[in-house]
Amino acid sequence: MGPGETTTRTRRRAVPWVLLGLWVAVLAVVGPFASKLADVQHDRAVDYLPASADSTQVAKIEDRLPGGESTELVLVYHRDGGLSAADRATAARQVADIAGREPLTAPPKGVPSRDGTTLMYPVASSAPGTDEKKRDAFVDDVRDVARSANGMDVEVGGPGALATDASEVYGSLGGPLLYTTVAVVAVLLILIYRSPLLWLVPLAVAGVADYLSMGVAYGLHQAFGTTISGQSSGVMTILVFGAGTDYALLLISRYREELRRVERPYDAMRQALRGCAPAVLASSGTVAAGLLCLLAADLNSSRGMGPMGTVGVLCALVAMLTLLPAVLVVLGRRVFWPLVPAFGSEPRQRRSLFAAMGSSAGRRPLTVLVGGAVLLGALAVGALNLPGSLKQEDSFVDTPDSVAAMETLARAYPGQGTQPITVMAPTDRAGAALAEIRHHRGVAGADPGRSGKGWTEISVTAKGAPQSAAETATIKSLREDLDRGETEGSYVGGPSAQQIDLQDTNARDRLVVVPIVLVSVLLILIALLRSLVAPLLLVVAVVAVWGAALGIGGLVFGPLFGFEGTDPGLGLLSFVFLVALGVDYGIFLMHRMREESLNGSEPAAAALTALRTTGGVIASAGLVLAATFAVLTNMGLVQLVELGFVIAVGVLLDTFLVRTYLVTSASVALRRKVWWPGRLAREPQPPEPPETRPAPTVAVG
């Protein structure tokens, strides 16, 4: 061995250790920022509301008023047999105690129900302002005072209590979500690798990537004001572990193959990266581009989800293409024990499930294609059974105290408003606005509240029940009436108005974002696959998967899960994730199919070979990704359960039906046309027979 070769080997041995050192340095820098992510995570209504809506303007103006945002509660006193004089005295004493402890915006007034079983006291304070911790402390303090007495039920509801209960659920997501995700991925990796050590490596690297993503997300918030909510933070963690583990599965699978052909782990890893890195880079780039399309959304929560999801995917990508290879090379072949791939050995041949599936798709491709399309279409019809828009009180899986209070109010005050509508009017027009509101046919009462910074707050009670058709009509007509004449410039907000704006804005965002996602993904696929037909096939397939997954949701959300509504953002978010992630797997399959075609395989053979060679890895990756999103179904909020369910079901449909059967059968049926108009679409010309070639010209002279 010459000195030059010795130097080269020494450098190669040093490369993994240098990478590990760089990662240690990066984590040391990122660490202080990652720990601060929870401090900038907010789940107030204004953090989810559409940027341009009336309800958002109301929330922003409230922040500027003396004391900041108002925390509105409703104390509910109830006894089935009717409240006694002693009960009413107890209620009055407790409310007075609360007023003595907390600065309230107005003296509380009790409102008895007609049947005498219930007494409600609306209570509001601006002392907590925009500080969520102070708001939660205020709500907890009120709950401590308002306890059951002498058999009387006492509950605390209202927007502030609902927000506190939601914040408690979001606050509990971090630990349980992370631990459950890690446990699920660990179990799947142990089953896939059947090794006591190997499964730990990608899992640990994914954990490092998650830590890195937290630091980067905090930096984005500080630099650009990116909205960070419990929902977006949780989804970022899911994507880091789901997508990161997928990339690890592809890399490790290729690395295992190369270790049988290449003697040294460093050289085998170089070959593995050279083989699979282009597909991984292309797929992660497509996912990131799809998620960034959410920046076009007007809804704050959706717009913030785009950068957060992109950060998760890209951090997972960087970790799996740098840190994971370094760790694997340092550990050497023994990391695969007991199934160590020896140099020069041949893998044990086993009957491949995906070879059998491919053969069935190859024999009758049109039959398989039509049958699969009919099945997906039938499942998509179930989307018509999706329950209506989700109300605030129906957004919890379990029933917290705030929801129990709202249910009691709904029974005791049927058809009557029990939740305030907030109107913000310019102070110089507040008198005209108050008169207009009080004369409005859908309004039961209105009282002026705080004033400051040129604005006056008016608390309005509607005649209709919260989030009923009657109250919705009142809010919409109030907005029309107050937006003209002497009251022009007034805004109508509050919890019910926020729900209306969420629905309207989600409908608008679907019309804007969906075409952008489709066009962006299609253009990227055209550039990657150098074809028009193959990208169209993949895009149509993932859209069909999205429709079928929503349809399955419609069949189970109400009848099986007992959900009373569907989150307005479910359609858009599930579409973006399923299209981006579904195309991700499509790239793996089509990339291998194109590679086989370039090597001279016939179209049908190329499609079946691609399925046979990538099917197992794609199936494992799909199971991991579906399982990580399924973790959301164990969380306490209906919108998270619905999102996790639809994406998990969609990924499974894409992995085991669309990718294995429909895309493969379509590729077999289309043959070379699948690569049109690229050069692979043209039939190769056979060489000209020698006897037909013209004789060479001989110069005479």
Side-chain angles (χ1 to χ4, degrees):
M1 182 184 299
E5 186 177 348
T6 302
T7 304
T8 301
R9 288 186 59 184
T10 302
R11 288 176 178 174
R12 289 177 177 178
R13 289 175 182 172
V15 169
W17 292 104
V18 170
L19 283 173
L20 292 176
L22 287 174
W23 269 98
V24 170
V26 167
L27 293 179
V29 173
V30 168
F33 302 106
S35 61
K36 295 180 180 180
L37 184 65
D39 297 334
V40 296
Q41 175 181 311
H42 296 290
D43 293 292
R44 297 183 302 146
V46 71
D47 298 312
Y48 284 79
L49 291 173
S52 60
D54 265 30
S55 53
T56 309
Q57 302 305 317
V58 168
K60 289 180 177 179
I61 294 170
E62 275 190 318
D63 288 348
R64 300 199 299 266
L65 288 178
E69 184 180 22
S70 178
T71 301
E72 298 171 336
L73 306 176
V74 179
L75 277 69
V76 183
Y77 297 88
H78 175 82
R79 189 187 291 274
D80 288 337
L83 294 173
S84 64
D87 292 335
R88 289 190 288 272
T90 299
R93 186 170 60 254
Q94 289 185 349
V95 171
D97 187 7
I98 293 170
R101 294 186 180 198
E102 302 286 348
L104 304 182
T105 56
K109 299 178 182 178
V111 182
S113 63
R114 292 182 180 179
D115 60 7
T117 62
T118 308
L119 178 65
M120 71 169 176
Y121 276 92
V123 172
S125 173
S126 60
T130 59
D131 191 317
E132 293 178 47
K133 293 182 179 179
K134 290 183 178 179
R135 178 203 64 198
D136 296 343
F138 169 62
V139 173
D140 291 339
D141 190 35
V142 171
R143 284 173 170 167
D144 287 340
V145 173
R147 296 185 180 277
S148 298
N150 302 322
M152 178 175 55
D153 295 327
V154 185
E155 298 159 339
V156 179
L162 284 168
T164 292
D165 290 336
S167 177
E168 183 178 351
V169 174
Y170 278 120
S172 67
L173 284 182
L177 180 67
L178 178 61
Y179 304 146
T180 308
T181 302
V182 170
V184 167
V185 173
V187 169
L188 289 173
L189 288 177
I190 290 172
L191 293 175
I192 291 168
Y193 288 133
R194 292 170 291 166
S195 167
L197 176 61
L198 181 57
W199 65 274
L200 277 170
V201 178
L203 192 63
V205 173
V208 171
D210 185 47
Y211 196 66
L212 174 64
S213 69
M214 293 168 63
V216 175
Y218 177 80
L220 277 180
H221 173 79
Q222 294 299 104
F224 304 105
T226 304
T227 300
I228 298 178
S229 64
Q231 185 184 48
S232 62
S233 180
V235 168
M236 183 180 71
T237 294
I238 291 289
L239 282 172
V240 169
F241 279 90
T245 306
D246 284 0
Y247 303 149
L249 287 169
L250 291 165
L251 177 63
I252 292 173
S253 175
R254 191 64 177 258
Y255 178 51
R256 190 198 296 265
E257 291 180 20
E258 298 298 337
L259 282 173
R260 299 183 187 277
R261 295 192 287 264
V262 181
E263 183 177 3
R264 303 186 188 284
Y266 178 88
D267 297 327
M269 181 57 72
R270 286 184 63 185
Q271 290 296 109
L273 285 170
R274 189 175 292 124
C276 71
V280 172
L281 286 168
S283 61
S284 60
T286 305
V287 174
L291 293 177
L292 283 177
C293 292
L294 283 170
L295 288 171
D298 190 36
L299 199 65
N300 278 344
S301 54
S302 296
R303 193 170 61 254
M305 184 79 74
M308 292 287 284
T310 301
V311 165
V313 170
L314 295 183
C315 287
L317 171 72
V318 172
M320 294 306 168
L321 291 186
T322 57
L323 179 59
L324 178 62
V327 175
L328 289 174
V329 170
V330 167
L331 293 175
R333 295 176 186 271
R334 59 185 177 272
V335 74
F336 290 94
W337 186 87
L339 304 175
V340 179
F343 172 58
S345 65
E346 293 292 332
R348 187 172 58 181
Q349 297 297 324
R350 292 182 296 176
R351 179 172 173 78
S352 170
L353 169 65
F354 291 94
M357 297 170 75
S359 298
S360 63
R363 284 193 299 269
R364 296 181 177 177
L366 291 178
T367 302
V368 172
L369 189 59
V370 171
V374 169
L375 175 60
L376 291 176
L379 290 174
V381 173
L384 300 175
N385 195 49
L386 284 168
S389 293
L390 190 68
K391 296 181 179 179
Q392 281 185 313
E393 60 264 31
D394 297 327
S395 61
F396 297 89
V397 174
D398 298 322
T399 305
D401 185 57
S402 58
V403 173
M406 302 304 287
E407 291 175 349
T408 300
L409 290 173
R411 291 191 300 268
Y413 302 84
Q416 181 177 338
T418 56
Q419 185 169 269
I421 300 168
T422 303
V423 174
M424 285 293 177
T427 300
D428 58 350
R429 303 178 183 180
L434 183 61
E436 177 70 32
I437 293 168
R438 284 174 171 169
H439 286 91
H440 195 279
R441 60 185 178 184
V443 172
D447 296 296
R450 297 173 294 166
S451 293
K453 304 290 185 179
W455 294 92
T456 296
E457 183 180 40
I458 301 173
S459 181
V460 181
T461 304
K463 293 179 180 178
Q467 297 184 42
S468 63
E471 190 200 41
T472 299
T474 298
I475 292 172
K476 290 183 177 180
S477 58
L478 271 176
R479 284 177 168 174
E480 292 178 1
D481 292 346
L482 294 176
D483 195 33
R484 58 191 178 207
E486 296 181 3
T487 59
E488 187 177 0
S490 300
Y491 298 106
V492 180
S496 296
Q498 292 167 7
Q499 293 300 111
I500 295 172
D501 291 335
L502 286 174
Q503 295 173 34
D504 293 344
T505 307
N506 270 297
R508 173 263 176 200
D509 285 349
R510 283 195 296 271
L511 293 175
V512 173
V513 177
V514 166
I516 295 176
V517 171
L518 290 176
V519 171
S520 301
V521 169
L522 189 60
L523 291 176
I524 292 172
L525 289 177
I526 290 171
L528 290 174
L529 301 177
R530 301 172 191 177
S531 163
L532 286 176
V533 176
L536 283 171
L537 173 62
L538 291 179
V539 169
V540 169
V542 293
V543 171
V545 165
W546 170 68
L550 275 183
I552 295 175
L555 297 177
V556 301
F557 285 166
L560 187 61
F561 295 168
F563 294 161
E564 297 293 333
T566 304
D567 178 42
L570 176 65
L572 177 63
L573 292 180
S574 62
F575 177 85
V576 172
F577 280 108
L578 283 177
V579 168
L581 296 171
V583 167
D584 189 26
Y585 292 144
I587 289 174
F588 297 146
L589 182 66
M590 283 291 186
H591 183 270
R592 187 57 180 262
M593 194 184 303
R594 190 172 189 277
E595 184 179 334
E596 294 294 329
S597 298
L598 287 171
N599 290 335
S601 296
E602 287 298 314
L608 299 180
T609 300
L611 178 61
R612 184 179 66 254
T613 55
T614 66
V617 178
I618 290 178
S620 301
L623 281 173
V624 170
L625 189 63
T628 52
F629 271 99
V631 170
L632 290 175
T633 63
N634 196 40
M635 299 299 109
L637 291 173
V638 170
Q639 52 263 44
L640 294 180
V641 175
E642 292 177 341
L643 182 64
F645 179 87
V646 170
I647 295 178
V649 167
V651 169
L652 292 176
L653 283 174
D654 185 80
T655 302
F656 293 102
L657 174 62
V658 173
R659 202 64 50 221
T660 52
Y661 277 113
L662 301 191
V663 172
T664 302
S665 61
S667 300
V668 172
L670 290 169
R671 299 184 66 79
R672 292 191 178 276
K673 295 185 181 67
V674 77
W675 302 114
W676 185 88
R679 65 185 180 89
L680 286 175
R682 296 187 290 272
E683 292 285 347
Q685 297 299 319
E688 192 176 350
E691 61 272 12
T692 63
R693 292 176 183 171
T697 302
V698 179
V700 179

